[in-house]
Amino acid sequence: MAEHKVLIMGVDENDPLDYERAEMADLDVEFVKANPQSEGEAIELVRDADALMMRSTPYQGEQVIRAAEKAQVLAVYSHGFNQIDTDVCNEMGIIITNGAGMCMEEVSNQAVTMILCLNRQLIQYNERTKAGNWGRGGGLPSIEPIDQQVLGLVGLGNIGRQVARKMFNGWRMKVIAYDPYCPPWIAQEYAVEQVFSLHELFERSDYVSVQIPLNKETHHMMRKEHFDCMKPTAYFVNVCRGGVVREVDLIEALREGKLRGAGLDVFEQEPVDPDNPLLKMDNVIVAPHSAGQSTRSAWLARQRASQQVAAVLRGNWPSAGQNPEVASSLKRRDRMQSLAPKLEASREVLPMAVLPEG
């Protein structure tokens, strides 16, 4: 019998798990692949697992997590982990981790692409030209030189930093950012001016690009009061999670001309409702939550998630641990007491999620 059982949910039964096996080659691990067809089945599967790795499975709710009484770590292969009940994991003493960094280039490229398309009005000109409407202008707003404009970043984590690097070095934009948890030396390194009010960022920016996690603190973080602050010539770009924006407020702001347009890779409801007004607006460009996709991110997600699980099974705090507040629960779990002091020490340097004002 292996020392550790790693349960991987939502994986093809013929998957060889090459990356998972490679990252845990020094550990005595039994890998179990499962595609539960009900919550009850998922509950039975997780009971004796030391590690849970979640891919494409809908069974990630509270009752499933509570049944994982032996689990030390829960890893998702994606960047976002908003589908996981953090409070329950903290109570159970389960470390949440993810594939952090697996698609930072891809998602930042999506943000940059949307910014450039909005600036150059590329989608509108593409549609007009294909329809036989040759010519420039025709009711479209004037194109402002992007190197004379301000880019406002909500969040200066891994993805935000890459957007800053590309738009400052490549297109010479002035970059400002709102992220009260980002150390000033990081902002300085990326030539970013830090602002400490979300309202100030929206007021000053010609483009607002959002790249923050969705959690209880960031849900509907951007709403009417912020869109009311925008320049009528400004654009809004969201490549993280739809739930960080109060979508009805964004729709209203676009209808009322509070901003010029938007680029959206994500929506509050996904798949997006075909009747969503955002899909009918000529000044909004959209994508189906595809920002993170590439051949590289597909395998890197597996590698990163596996590295995090391996770290925990070795008794270490994972580099992408997302819930440092779990420390109090770990102290109560005898088999994890060796990890608790390491976790407490790491809390001083772990990056935290961007919080809303007030």
Side-chain angles (χ1 to χ4, degrees), residues 150-171:
V150 176
L151 169 62
L153 300 177
V154 182
L156 199 58
N158 288 331
I159 295 171
R161 294 169 196 175
Q162 299 313 310
V163 177
R165 175 179 62 83
K166 292 166 185 176
M167 297 312 298
F168 174 75
N169 292 330
W171 283 271

PDB file of all heavy atoms in Angstrom, residues 150-171:
ATOM      1  N   VAL A 150      -3.050  56.458 -20.841  1.00  0.00           N
ATOM      2  CA  VAL A 150      -2.790  55.854 -19.538  1.00  0.00           C
ATOM      3  C   VAL A 150      -3.512  54.516 -19.438  1.00  0.00           C
ATOM      4  O   VAL A 150      -4.714  54.422 -19.705  1.00  0.00           O
ATOM      5  CB  VAL A 150      -3.258  56.787 -18.397  1.00  0.00           C
ATOM      6  CG1 VAL A 150      -3.077  56.103 -17.032  1.00  0.00           C
ATOM      7  CG2 VAL A 150      -2.497  58.110 -18.439  1.00  0.00           C
ATOM      8  N   LEU A 151      -2.763  53.509 -19.044  1.00  0.00           N
ATOM      9  CA  LEU A 151      -3.327  52.184 -18.789  1.00  0.00           C
ATOM     10  C   LEU A 151      -3.428  51.983 -17.287  1.00  0.00           C
ATOM     11  O   LEU A 151      -2.426  52.077 -16.570  1.00  0.00           O
ATOM     12  CB  LEU A 151      -2.436  51.096 -19.397  1.00  0.00           C
ATOM     13  CG  LEU A 151      -2.748  49.648 -19.011  1.00  0.00           C
ATOM     14  CD1 LEU A 151      -4.149  49.258 -19.477  1.00  0.00           C
ATOM     15  CD2 LEU A 151      -1.700  48.700 -19.584  1.00  0.00           C
ATOM     16  N   GLY A 152      -4.627  51.686 -16.801  1.00  0.00           N
ATOM     17  CA  GLY A 152      -4.837  51.426 -15.387  1.00  0.00           C
ATOM     18  C   GLY A 152      -5.042  49.943 -15.145  1.00  0.00           C
ATOM     19  O   GLY A 152      -5.955  49.344 -15.709  1.00  0.00           O
ATOM     20  N   LEU A 153      -4.219  49.345 -14.312  1.00  0.00           N
ATOM     21  CA  LEU A 153      -4.301  47.917 -14.015  1.00  0.00           C
ATOM     22  C   LEU A 153      -4.931  47.714 -12.651  1.00  0.00           C
ATOM     23  O   LEU A 153      -4.464  48.270 -11.648  1.00  0.00           O
ATOM     24  CB  LEU A 153      -2.910  47.285 -14.028  1.00  0.00           C
ATOM     25  CG  LEU A 153      -2.126  47.385 -15.340  1.00  0.00           C
ATOM     26  CD1 LEU A 153      -0.746  46.764 -15.159  1.00  0.00           C
ATOM     27  CD2 LEU A 153      -2.866  46.697 -16.473  1.00  0.00           C
ATOM     28  N   VAL A 154      -5.979  46.907 -12.601  1.00  0.00           N
ATOM     29  CA  VAL A 154      -6.546  46.478 -11.328  1.00  0.00           C
ATOM     30  C   VAL A 154      -5.930  45.128 -11.021  1.00  0.00           C
ATOM     31  O   VAL A 154      -6.303  44.107 -11.601  1.00  0.00           O
ATOM     32  CB  VAL A 154      -8.085  46.378 -11.396  1.00  0.00           C
ATOM     33  CG1 VAL A 154      -8.640  45.974 -10.033  1.00  0.00           C
ATOM     34  CG2 VAL A 154      -8.698  47.704 -11.843  1.00  0.00           C
ATOM     35  N   GLY A 155      -4.947  45.120 -10.133  1.00  0.00           N
ATOM     36  CA  GLY A 155      -4.200  43.917  -9.825  1.00  0.00           C
ATOM     37  C   GLY A 155      -2.840  43.935 -10.490  1.00  0.00           C
ATOM     38  O   GLY A 155      -2.724  44.135 -11.706  1.00  0.00           O
ATOM     39  N   LEU A 156      -1.793  43.774  -9.679  1.00  0.00           N
ATOM     40  CA  LEU A 156      -0.430  43.752 -10.212  1.00  0.00           C
ATOM     41  C   LEU A 156       0.276  42.469  -9.774  1.00  0.00           C
ATOM     42  O   LEU A 156       1.390  42.475  -9.286  1.00  0.00           O
ATOM     43  CB  LEU A 156       0.349  44.999  -9.740  1.00  0.00           C
ATOM     44  CG  LEU A 156       1.610  45.371 -10.537  1.00  0.00           C
ATOM     45  CD1 LEU A 156       1.274  45.617 -12.006  1.00  0.00           C
ATOM     46  CD2 LEU A 156       2.286  46.599  -9.933  1.00  0.00           C
ATOM     47  N   GLY A 157      -0.432  41.348  -9.963  1.00  0.00           N
ATOM     48  CA  GLY A 157       0.160  40.042  -9.723  1.00  0.00           C
ATOM     49  C   GLY A 157       0.923  39.584 -10.952  1.00  0.00           C
ATOM     50  O   GLY A 157       1.356  40.401 -11.777  1.00  0.00           O
ATOM     51  N   ASN A 158       1.080  38.271 -11.108  1.00  0.00           N
ATOM     52  CA  ASN A 158       1.860  37.738 -12.225  1.00  0.00           C
ATOM     53  C   ASN A 158       1.350  38.220 -13.573  1.00  0.00           C
ATOM     54  O   ASN A 158       2.125  38.629 -14.444  1.00  0.00           O
ATOM     55  CB  ASN A 158       1.837  36.203 -12.191  1.00  0.00           C
ATOM     56  CG  ASN A 158       2.669  35.635 -11.061  1.00  0.00           C
ATOM     57  OD1 ASN A 158       3.643  36.238 -10.644  1.00  0.00           O
ATOM     58  ND2 ASN A 158       2.286  34.470 -10.567  1.00  0.00           N
ATOM     59  N   ILE A 159       0.027  38.185 -13.771  1.00  0.00           N
ATOM     60  CA  ILE A 159      -0.543  38.571 -15.062  1.00  0.00           C
ATOM     61  C   ILE A 159      -0.468  40.084 -15.251  1.00  0.00           C
ATOM     62  O   ILE A 159      -0.061  40.582 -16.306  1.00  0.00           O
ATOM     63  CB  ILE A 159      -1.989  38.070 -15.181  1.00  0.00           C
ATOM     64  CG1 ILE A 159      -2.014  36.541 -15.178  1.00  0.00           C
ATOM     65  CG2 ILE A 159      -2.655  38.602 -16.449  1.00  0.00           C
ATOM     66  CD1 ILE A 159      -3.400  35.926 -15.064  1.00  0.00           C
ATOM     67  N   GLY A 160      -0.841  40.836 -14.219  1.00  0.00           N
ATOM     68  CA  GLY A 160      -0.793  42.290 -14.313  1.00  0.00           C
ATOM     69  C   GLY A 160       0.595  42.802 -14.628  1.00  0.00           C
ATOM     70  O   GLY A 160       0.766  43.766 -15.399  1.00  0.00           O
ATOM     71  N   ARG A 161       1.608  42.175 -14.052  1.00  0.00           N
ATOM     72  CA  ARG A 161       2.986  42.614 -14.300  1.00  0.00           C
ATOM     73  C   ARG A 161       3.384  42.405 -15.751  1.00  0.00           C
ATOM     74  O   ARG A 161       4.110  43.219 -16.329  1.00  0.00           O
ATOM     75  CB  ARG A 161       3.943  41.866 -13.364  1.00  0.00           C
ATOM     76  CG  ARG A 161       3.747  42.224 -11.903  1.00  0.00           C
ATOM     77  CD  ARG A 161       4.507  41.281 -10.978  1.00  0.00           C
ATOM     78  NE  ARG A 161       4.009  41.414  -9.608  1.00  0.00           N
ATOM     79  CZ  ARG A 161       4.390  40.662  -8.593  1.00  0.00           C
ATOM     80  NH1 ARG A 161       5.284  39.708  -8.790  1.00  0.00           N
ATOM     81  NH2 ARG A 161       3.888  40.854  -7.382  1.00  0.00           N
ATOM     82  N   GLN A 162       2.916  41.305 -16.339  1.00  0.00           N
ATOM     83  CA  GLN A 162       3.228  41.060 -17.752  1.00  0.00           C
ATOM     84  C   GLN A 162       2.508  42.043 -18.667  1.00  0.00           C
ATOM     85  O   GLN A 162       3.068  42.487 -19.673  1.00  0.00           O
ATOM     86  CB  GLN A 162       2.878  39.616 -18.127  1.00  0.00           C
ATOM     87  CG  GLN A 162       3.647  38.565 -17.345  1.00  0.00           C
ATOM     88  CD  GLN A 162       5.130  38.854 -17.265  1.00  0.00           C
ATOM     89  OE1 GLN A 162       5.785  39.119 -18.275  1.00  0.00           O
ATOM     90  NE2 GLN A 162       5.674  38.816 -16.059  1.00  0.00           N
ATOM     91  N   VAL A 163       1.275  42.399 -18.321  1.00  0.00           N
ATOM     92  CA  VAL A 163       0.568  43.427 -19.102  1.00  0.00           C
ATOM     93  C   VAL A 163       1.329  44.750 -19.007  1.00  0.00           C
ATOM     94  O   VAL A 163       1.535  45.433 -20.011  1.00  0.00           O
ATOM     95  CB  VAL A 163      -0.880  43.608 -18.600  1.00  0.00           C
ATOM     96  CG1 VAL A 163      -1.565  44.735 -19.369  1.00  0.00           C
ATOM     97  CG2 VAL A 163      -1.673  42.314 -18.760  1.00  0.00           C
ATOM     98  N   ALA A 164       1.764  45.094 -17.799  1.00  0.00           N
ATOM     99  CA  ALA A 164       2.514  46.336 -17.605  1.00  0.00           C
ATOM    100  C   ALA A 164       3.799  46.333 -18.427  1.00  0.00           C
ATOM    101  O   ALA A 164       4.119  47.314 -19.115  1.00  0.00           O
ATOM    102  CB  ALA A 164       2.829  46.525 -16.122  1.00  0.00           C
ATOM    103  N   ARG A 165       4.530  45.233 -18.363  1.00  0.00           N
ATOM    104  CA  ARG A 165       5.795  45.132 -19.101  1.00  0.00           C
ATOM    105  C   ARG A 165       5.579  45.309 -20.602  1.00  0.00           C
ATOM    106  O   ARG A 165       6.312  46.069 -21.273  1.00  0.00           O
ATOM    107  CB  ARG A 165       6.441  43.771 -18.818  1.00  0.00           C
ATOM    108  CG  ARG A 165       7.700  43.490 -19.627  1.00  0.00           C
ATOM    109  CD  ARG A 165       8.290  42.137 -19.270  1.00  0.00           C
ATOM    110  NE  ARG A 165       7.395  41.032 -19.577  1.00  0.00           N
ATOM    111  CZ  ARG A 165       7.266  40.475 -20.788  1.00  0.00           C
ATOM    112  NH1 ARG A 165       7.963  40.971 -21.815  1.00  0.00           N
ATOM    113  NH2 ARG A 165       6.445  39.455 -20.982  1.00  0.00           N
ATOM    114  N   LYS A 166       4.568  44.646 -21.119  1.00  0.00           N
ATOM    115  CA  LYS A 166       4.337  44.682 -22.568  1.00  0.00           C
ATOM    116  C   LYS A 166       3.847  46.044 -23.040  1.00  0.00           C
ATOM    117  O   LYS A 166       4.289  46.553 -24.071  1.00  0.00           O
ATOM    118  CB  LYS A 166       3.349  43.580 -22.950  1.00  0.00           C
ATOM    119  CG  LYS A 166       3.932  42.183 -22.758  1.00  0.00           C
ATOM    120  CD  LYS A 166       2.892  41.078 -22.801  1.00  0.00           C
ATOM    121  CE  LYS A 166       3.536  39.737 -22.486  1.00  0.00           C
ATOM    122  NZ  LYS A 166       2.585  38.612 -22.424  1.00  0.00           N
ATOM    123  N   MET A 167       2.936  46.647 -22.276  1.00  0.00           N
ATOM    124  CA  MET A 167       2.367  47.917 -22.728  1.00  0.00           C
ATOM    125  C   MET A 167       3.303  49.102 -22.476  1.00  0.00           C
ATOM    126  O   MET A 167       3.260  50.090 -23.214  1.00  0.00           O
ATOM    127  CB  MET A 167       1.014  48.158 -22.057  1.00  0.00           C
ATOM    128  CG  MET A 167      -0.048  47.128 -22.411  1.00  0.00           C
ATOM    129  SD  MET A 167      -0.191  46.767 -24.192  1.00  0.00           S
ATOM    130  CE  MET A 167      -0.664  48.348 -24.853  1.00  0.00           C
ATOM    131  N   PHE A 168       4.155  49.000 -21.467  1.00  0.00           N
ATOM    132  CA  PHE A 168       5.129  50.082 -21.226  1.00  0.00           C
ATOM    133  C   PHE A 168       6.309  49.958 -22.182  1.00  0.00           C
ATOM    134  O   PHE A 168       6.668  50.914 -22.865  1.00  0.00           O
ATOM    135  CB  PHE A 168       5.607  50.054 -19.777  1.00  0.00           C
ATOM    136  CG  PHE A 168       6.713  51.039 -19.500  1.00  0.00           C
ATOM    137  CD1 PHE A 168       6.436  52.397 -19.382  1.00  0.00           C
ATOM    138  CD2 PHE A 168       8.038  50.617 -19.385  1.00  0.00           C
ATOM    139  CE1 PHE A 168       7.459  53.322 -19.153  1.00  0.00           C
ATOM    140  CE2 PHE A 168       9.066  51.527 -19.152  1.00  0.00           C
ATOM    141  CZ  PHE A 168       8.775  52.875 -19.039  1.00  0.00           C
ATOM    142  N   ASN A 169       6.908  48.775 -22.242  1.00  0.00           N
ATOM    143  CA  ASN A 169       8.085  48.590 -23.088  1.00  0.00           C
ATOM    144  C   ASN A 169       7.738  48.552 -24.567  1.00  0.00           C
ATOM    145  O   ASN A 169       8.492  49.031 -25.405  1.00  0.00           O
ATOM    146  CB  ASN A 169       8.813  47.294 -22.704  1.00  0.00           C
ATOM    147  CG  ASN A 169       9.441  47.365 -21.329  1.00  0.00           C
ATOM    148  OD1 ASN A 169       9.826  48.431 -20.876  1.00  0.00           O
ATOM    149  ND2 ASN A 169       9.539  46.233 -20.652  1.00  0.00           N
ATOM    150  N   GLY A 170       6.589  47.954 -24.902  1.00  0.00           N
ATOM    151  CA  GLY A 170       6.232  47.796 -26.308  1.00  0.00           C
ATOM    152  C   GLY A 170       5.502  48.980 -26.907  1.00  0.00           C
ATOM    153  O   GLY A 170       5.783  49.385 -28.037  1.00  0.00           O
ATOM    154  N   TRP A 171       4.559  49.555 -26.145  1.00  0.00           N
ATOM    155  CA  TRP A 171       3.726  50.630 -26.707  1.00  0.00           C
ATOM    156  C   TRP A 171       3.857  51.950 -25.949  1.00  0.00           C
ATOM    157  O   TRP A 171       3.126  52.883 -26.211  1.00  0.00           O
ATOM    158  CB  TRP A 171       2.258  50.176 -26.762  1.00  0.00           C
ATOM    159  CG  TRP A 171       2.017  49.248 -27.907  1.00  0.00           C
ATOM    160  CD1 TRP A 171       1.659  49.586 -29.174  1.00  0.00           C
ATOM    161  CD2 TRP A 171       2.160  47.827 -27.911  1.00  0.00           C
ATOM    162  NE1 TRP A 171       1.556  48.474 -29.964  1.00  0.00           N
ATOM    163  CE2 TRP A 171       1.858  47.368 -29.216  1.00  0.00           C
ATOM    164  CE3 TRP A 171       2.503  46.877 -26.947  1.00  0.00           C
ATOM    165  CZ2 TRP A 171       1.901  46.024 -29.575  1.00  0.00           C
ATOM    166  CZ3 TRP A 171       2.547  45.536 -27.301  1.00  0.00           C
ATOM    167  CH2 TRP A 171       2.244  45.124 -28.591  1.00  0.00           C
TER     168      TRP A 171
END
